[in-house]
Amino acid sequence: MSSVPDRGDIEGSEPSVSAFISSVIFNSAVAVALYTGFLVLRRRFPLVYAPRTFLVPEGKRAPPLQGTWSWFTLFRRINEPAIIAHAGADQYAAIYYMRMLFRFFLGATILAIIILFPTYATGTARTSGLSKLTIANVADDQSSRLWAALVVSYIFIAFALYTIRELLMKSAWLRHTFLMGDEQRGRLSGYVLVVRDIPEKLRNKKDLLDLFNRVQPNTVVDVVLTRDDHDVSSEYKKYVKNRDGLEKAASKYLSTVASRYGKTLRQKGSTNYVDPEVGNAVPSEILQNRPTRKTPMIIGAKVDSISDYITHMRDLQQEMEQKRTQLYTSNGDAESAAFIIFKDLFAPHAAATANIHGTPGVMDDKQAVVEPEDIIWDNLSMKFFQRQIRTLIALVALIALVLFWAVITAFVAGIASLDHLAKTFTFLEPFQELPASIQGIIQGVLPTIAIAVLYALLPVILRFFTSFSGAMTHTAIEKRLIGQYYFFLVFNILFIVTISGSIFNTAKLIADNPGSVFEILGTSIPKVSTFFVNYVMLLALGGPAKELLQLGNVIAKPLVLRFLSNTPRVVWRQSQPKPFKSGAPLARHTFIATVGITYLSIAPLVSLMCAIYFGFWYVAYTYQMQYVYHSHIQSGGYYLYSSAKQLFVALYIHEVVLTALFFIKTAWVPGGFMVFAILVTIMFHRYTNAYDSLMEAVPAKAALDEAKRRHLTMDTDIQKQLVQNETWRDEMDPTGRSSELSPGEKGDRRESRVTLGSTSDDPNAAGTEVQDTPSRYEGPDDYEKQFMAPALRSDALVVWLPQDQLGVSEIVKEEVESGCQSKVCYEGAKMNEKGQVSVATATLAKDHEP
């Protein structure tokens, strides 16, 4: 037909079976090399390959593995409750997702080998290569064979719907277990509801208390109003920068003193770095060799770095304190967001589903259980209409990015060519004089690297779009990234490759006859199946091996810790286990599942590749999630839910394409049955939409069942823990000192009060002092600190320095504490005689830096 592209434009070249086998052998050899590297390096670099055995809090640690192959057999002894408790619900959800998809494609592969492979291979359409194992090898006069494809497709669809249902049920169970679990019961965030778009008349504690006590009678403990911190935020960022600069300058100074003093002793023939007879007297000329810097940079005069940073910190502290005081003493300056604190775990979920205000868009954006460290403070109080406009701008940018990605990648690959770069940058001209063989290697590698970098930046770009739109939390960004990245991959890889390599080649045909898109897909998809067989095979063999090996991490992390980690804080940050950001990986896995489901009955060899892909990833994730990744922020299975719902897209594509194929081959009855399958899928899809509300909030029945096992309401013990377990205590007060209250906290005390010190394992921490025993923990000072933007917290930042053996760190400590409000702590940080910084493992294992 004239509306369908020519056969040659669609299918291209058909690789032979021998070429496919050669590709499998080569990629298998590469994978074996990567796995061998992992086996060799795993025990030598526990910092990279097993950080969760010693660099996380003791209750979260994974047991050490014994034996060379013990990591490989982990999938055979999965302990679901233990993984959820130690690694987190999202990490377990990733393992479960791989396991369910592996089982699905393994079953599909077995069924295809029994039924579809013989049916297609004995067809008479005279195709060649791997196409003999596709539906394209069934000739037009063999339409009776299409009944086999129909029957198998029905079995596949039923199995897929069952798998989706299992994934949704598991995600709902994980979500409810997470929201009602011990971790939320022991954290204030479990009792909190954040509300945005509050009208000005309601931006006060009294009205909000009355309003939400009406929603959930007698359950509201307190209300924390947000303030406009933009004026303070800029100073706070400078403050943090100067704090980090001070730590770097002081550590450099201590290192210089230590190394030069050691050199002086060696010149004198002394073998003891710390000489008690000398009294550790450091020559004054060494002590006077302090670091300097130019301010302003390059053109400014040289100043003493340590003194200059201290002065800047003192000035910034005073400026911030003045702005905070003005902010909290003025009236009517509360922002449009607030945190509602309840005394019952279920109350915030019930309030999240309630209609609070009668005006659309007002107080509609509500979320229960929000961690303070998950909040994007700059977006929290963004106005409703501002978010709508920004969302529209981001949507237009996203659509443009998706549509023109092929053009962008071609442009980047073009400018990355050696010839083009040599014309632009004259210093590269000598490369054109290299032998032709070497030039060929460079010409082949440069565009590949450029495209790889571009694809690596794509999730970053998509996250920026969501943040620009006004997302309230980092979790919300990852949720949206799963959808955006997934549809990007479906359009730019599945559709673009299928429809003749470029959507623009067939855009006019589709515009002239919109119905032809189904015919184009039905004709094109079987012809390009060999591409996806090789594509999935490449990812199946190389992807999990690269995930386990972490080549970049195993090279970079030791080097950074050895040569660039010159302060305790940098050592702590560089030593932390990798966080698992679910958005991009789950989107990629769901896309591979989409490719596999699309070709279930059309090119069943893709199912075999998908079974290998998810089998290897199942093994890899079972290890990585328990021993490598460590995430402080959890969604409680929400990412799994988003991924499971996307599998419906794969089913629709499969059903529509197979229907089109049946109709093209005039198999009207099988085509009619496929239309019925589409209707069944639509009905089941609508049924699964009922899970949406289950993921947003805990149902009352689940809370009632949980309440039979334990109390969900705050008691005195839980009220004390709510403050002790929060991040800000460790951040602001690592030594256990009582902190000065912010202006907003003064004058708003209650009659009874519990004064709490830190009860962590820190040997410097103070004990718990109880002045009263109230019926519930009283705020608002601790409540407000936990849900206050970091820039608004009155506590001075802690300066973390290494403690040296010469006592010079005490001199610096006295200088810092006398020059500004900040206190100095050592907390497990030492400096040896060579001037090298080390931090105790117990300190590195803490969830938060001082």
Side-chain angles (χ1 to χ4, degrees):
M1 300 179 184
S2 61
S3 61
V4 181
D6 293 337
R7 178 186 177 91
D9 295 334
I10 296 174
E11 62 183 275
S13 60
E14 295 185 354
S16 64
V17 175
S18 60
F20 172 71
I21 294 175
S22 299
S23 178
V24 170
I25 293 174
F26 174 77
N27 287 288
S28 297
V30 173
V32 169
L34 295 176
Y35 283 117
T36 303
F38 169 70
L39 288 174
V40 172
L41 298 174
R42 184 175 70 86
R43 292 189 175 184
R44 298 185 181 183
F45 295 95
L47 181 68
V48 175
Y49 296 109
R52 296 199 71 257
T53 59
F54 65 102
L55 286 181
V56 297
E58 190 170 352
K60 299 286 186 179
R61 292 178 186 175
L65 292 176
Q66 304 296 330
T68 304
W69 296 98
S70 54
W71 67 272
F72 183 78
T73 59
L74 276 175
F75 72 95
R76 296 169 53 186
R77 52 182 190 275
I78 285 181
N79 186 334
E80 180 181 272
I83 296 176
I84 295 174
H86 297 158
D90 290 335
Q91 275 77 350
Y92 175 76
I95 298 172
Y96 184 80
Y97 193 40
M98 297 300 100
R99 181 172 67 189
M100 292 300 294
L101 290 177
F102 168 65
R103 290 177 177 176
F104 172 79
F105 283 107
L106 181 62
T109 300
I110 294 173
L111 192 61
I113 291 174
I114 296 173
I115 300 176
L116 293 183
F117 280 174
T119 302
Y120 295 159
T122 56
T124 60
R126 297 183 180 180
T127 58
S128 61
L130 298 178
S131 294
K132 290 183 69 67
L133 297 177
T134 71
I135 200 172
N137 200 42
V138 177
D140 292 340
D141 59 352
Q142 294 180 307
S143 59
S144 59
R145 295 189 177 218
L146 298 179
W147 283 95
L150 174 67
V151 172
V152 171
S153 181
Y154 259 64
I155 296 174
F156 286 159
I157 292 171
F159 193 13
L161 294 177
Y162 167 79
T163 301
I164 292 174
R165 180 176 177 272
E166 289 295 305
L167 290 171
L168 295 178
M169 291 178 63
K170 179 62 71 172
S171 60
W173 177 82
L174 285 172
R175 180 74 174 158
H176 299 162
T177 303
F178 169 74
L179 295 175
M180 293 281 107
D182 289 334
E183 187 171 353
Q184 296 304 327
R185 187 170 183 261
R187 298 179 68 88
L188 185 60
S189 56
Y191 300 84
V192 168
L193 174 76
V194 59
V195 185
R196 303 171 89 181
D197 308 314
I198 301 173
E200 291 187 10
K201 293 182 179 180
L202 293 178
R203 295 178 191 175
N204 61 83
K205 285 190 175 185
K206 181 181 182 304
D207 288 341
L208 289 174
L209 281 167
D210 292 342
L211 177 61
F212 282 94
N213 268 320
R214 171 61 64 180
V215 176
Q216 285 291 291
N218 302 319
T219 59
V220 181
V221 176
D222 202 355
V223 171
V224 177
L225 301 172
T226 59
R227 309 282 175 168
D228 183 5
D229 67 328
H230 289 88
D231 290 340
V232 189
S233 181
S234 58
E235 276 81 6
Y236 181 76
K237 292 175 182 177
K238 296 177 184 177
Y239 181 45
V240 173
K241 184 178 180 181
N242 277 274
R243 189 275 309 271
D244 294 343
L246 173 59
E247 291 180 348
K248 183 178 180 180
S251 297
K252 180 180 179 181
Y253 173 55
L254 295 175
S255 177
T256 301
V257 171
S259 59
R260 292 195 176 186
Y261 180 68
K263 183 178 180 181
T264 301
L265 290 181
R266 287 192 297 272
Q267 290 174 349
K268 294 180 179 181
S270 175
T271 58
N272 295 325
Y273 178 71
V274 180
D275 193 342
E277 296 182 1
V278 179
N280 298 335
V282 181
S284 59
E285 59 270 18
I286 295 180
L287 290 176
Q288 292 173 0
N289 193 3
R290 290 163 64 94
T292 60
R293 65 172 184 147
K294 289 186 178 182
T295 178
M297 294 180 61
I298 302 176
I299 61 173
K302 281 189 177 181
V303 296
D304 184 284
S305 297
I306 297 176
S307 300
D308 190 55
Y309 282 125
I310 293 173
T311 301
H312 281 294
M313 288 181 65
R314 182 183 65 244
D315 295 342
L316 287 168
Q317 287 168 343
Q318 293 174 354
E319 291 177 17
M320 289 189 296
E321 188 62 29
Q322 291 175 0
K323 290 185 177 181
R324 292 188 192 113
T325 302
Q326 183 180 1
L327 193 62
Y328 278 94
T329 54
S330 59
N331 295 322
D333 56 1
E335 289 293 290
S336 60
F339 298 92
I340 316 300
I341 302 171
F342 297 87
K343 64 180 180 180
D344 184 85
L345 274 181
F346 176 67
H349 301 281
T353 60
N355 291 323
I356 304 298
H357 201 277
T359 304
V362 176
M363 301 181 74
D364 283 341
D365 192 357
K366 307 182 292 295
Q367 183 176 336
V369 187
V370 178
E371 296 284 348
E373 58 186 5
D374 190 25
I375 296 170
I376 303 175
W377 294 99
D378 290 339
N379 289 354
L380 183 60
S381 297
M382 189 181 294
K383 293 179 173 57
F384 174 77
F385 289 106
Q386 185 180 0
R387 298 201 307 273
Q388 299 304 307
I389 295 173
R390 282 173 169 246
T391 300
L392 180 60
I393 295 173
L395 179 62
V396 172
L398 176 62
I399 293 173
L401 182 67
V402 171
L403 291 177
F404 294 98
W405 184 256
V407 178
I408 296 172
T409 52
F411 173 76
V412 171
I415 65 174
S417 66
L418 186 60
D419 293 338
H420 187 93
L421 289 174
K423 292 178 182 178
T424 306
F425 304 101
T426 55
F427 65 87
L428 294 176
E429 289 180 356
F431 284 96
Q432 291 184 305
E433 300 176 2
L434 295 173
S437 58
I438 298 179
Q439 285 192 43
I441 295 174
I442 297 176
Q443 290 279 34
V445 170
L446 280 180
T448 304
I449 294 176
I451 296 300
V453 171
L454 193 61
Y455 267 92
L457 289 176
L458 180 59
V460 178
I461 297 171
L462 297 179
R463 287 189 180 100
F464 169 76
F465 285 164
T466 305
S467 179
F468 175 80
S469 301
M472 182 167 49
T473 62
H474 297 285
T475 301
I477 290 179
E478 291 301 307
K479 290 178 187 176
R480 197 173 299 179
L481 176 64
I482 292 177
Q484 292 176 341
Y485 195 26
Y486 169 74
F487 284 106
F488 177 91
L489 294 174
V490 169
F491 183 85
N492 277 286
I493 297 181
L494 184 59
F495 284 168
I496 294 299
V497 170
T498 299
I499 305 178
S500 307
S502 174
I503 191 66
F504 301 107
N505 293 343
T506 53
K508 186 177 184 303
L509 297 175
I510 295 174
D512 294 339
N513 183 10
S516 65
V517 66
F518 301 109
E519 192 171 356
I520 293 172
L521 287 173
T523 308
S524 302
I525 280 185
K527 310 305 180 186
V528 297
S529 61
T530 51
F531 166 80
F532 287 107
V533 169
N534 285 278
Y535 177 75
V536 178
M537 180 267 296
L538 177 64
L539 295 179
L541 295 177
K546 293 177 183 177
E547 168 72 19
L548 287 169
L549 182 58
Q550 305 178 68
L551 185 59
N553 204 25
V554 76
I555 294 174
K557 179 166 276 192
L559 291 176
V560 170
L561 283 171
R562 177 66 179 84
F563 298 106
L564 300 179
S565 299
N566 46 15
T567 71
R569 197 174 303 277
V570 175
V571 172
W572 186 92
R573 291 173 180 174
Q574 293 298 327
S575 301
Q576 294 305 294
K578 292 169 57 178
F580 180 67
K581 295 184 178 181
S582 301
L586 290 187
R588 287 193 289 264
H589 296 319
T590 306
F591 170 70
I592 296 300
T594 299
V595 172
I597 292 174
T598 298
Y599 284 94
L600 279 174
S601 302
I602 299 168
L605 189 58
V606 178
S607 296
L608 173 60
M609 296 299 107
C610 287
I612 296 173
Y613 176 92
F614 288 110
F616 283 172
W617 273 105
Y618 176 34
V619 174
Y621 270 177
T622 302
Y623 177 80
Q624 294 289 93
M625 298 303 168
Q626 296 184 71
Y627 286 88
V628 177
Y629 291 116
H630 180 60
S631 299
H632 299 292
I633 303 173
Q634 296 281 328
S635 74
Y638 209 111
Y639 303 137
L640 176 64
Y641 173 76
S642 300
S643 300
K645 291 295 289 285
Q646 288 169 350
L647 294 178
F648 279 109
V649 176
L651 275 180
Y652 289 136
I653 296 175
H654 167 78
E655 293 164 352
V656 168
V657 170
L658 198 57
T659 301
L661 277 171
F662 286 157
F663 286 155
I664 290 172
K665 293 179 178 290
T666 66
W668 306 111
V669 177
F673 274 106
M674 285 308 302
V675 172
F676 177 73
I678 294 175
L679 296 177
V680 171
T681 303
I682 292 174
M683 292 177 61
F684 190 84
H685 192 179
R686 293 186 61 184
Y687 157 74
T688 60
N689 289 335
Y691 283 87
D692 292 350
S693 59
L694 296 180
M695 297 302 297
E696 294 298 334
V698 174
K701 180 62 166 58
L704 181 62
D705 293 341
E706 188 67 19
K708 294 178 181 178
R709 298 195 310 111
R710 59 182 177 179
H711 293 292
L712 300 182
T713 303
M714 291 186 190
D715 56 26
T716 303
D717 293 335
I718 291 297
Q719 291 152 14
K720 297 174 184 177
Q721 295 173 12
L722 294 182
V723 178
Q724 292 169 304
N725 292 346
E726 292 301 333
T727 304
W728 71 268
R729 280 240 175 236
D730 291 331
E731 288 180 343
M732 301 302 167
D733 200 11
T735 60
R737 296 173 292 101
S738 59
S739 301
E740 181 184 355
L741 298 179
S742 66
E745 294 161 345
K746 298 173 181 178
D748 196 8
R749 296 179 176 271
R750 309 294 173 93
E751 293 180 359
S752 56
R753 169 82 61 201
V754 178
T755 302
L756 297 173
S758 173
T759 60
S760 65
D761 294 333
D762 185 354
N764 296 323
T768 302
E769 178 187 353
V770 181
Q771 294 179 342
D772 284 309
T773 307
S775 59
R776 61 180 176 83
Y777 183 77
E778 300 288 350
D781 60 52
D782 294 319
Y783 291 147
E784 189 154 2
K785 281 186 180 179
Q786 293 179 51
F787 289 99
M788 182 187 293
L792 297 181
R793 296 172 183 171
S794 62
D795 306 82
L797 294 180
V798 174
V799 177
W800 191 10
L801 298 180
Q803 188 173 25
D804 67 343
Q805 301 178 41
L806 303 174
V808 181
S809 56
E810 288 295 326
I811 299 174
V812 177
K813 177 180 179 181
E814 183 179 353
E815 181 181 358
V816 172
E817 293 185 346
S818 62
C820 64
Q821 299 177 24
S822 293
K823 299 298 179 181
V824 173
C825 76
Y826 300 128
E827 196 164 354
K830 302 288 185 181
M831 178 169 286
N832 62 16
E833 63 273 14
K834 296 180 180 180
Q836 297 173 334
V837 177
S838 64
V839 180
T841 302
T843 302
L844 295 176
K846 291 187 176 181
D847 272 340
H848 303 285
E849 62 189 79

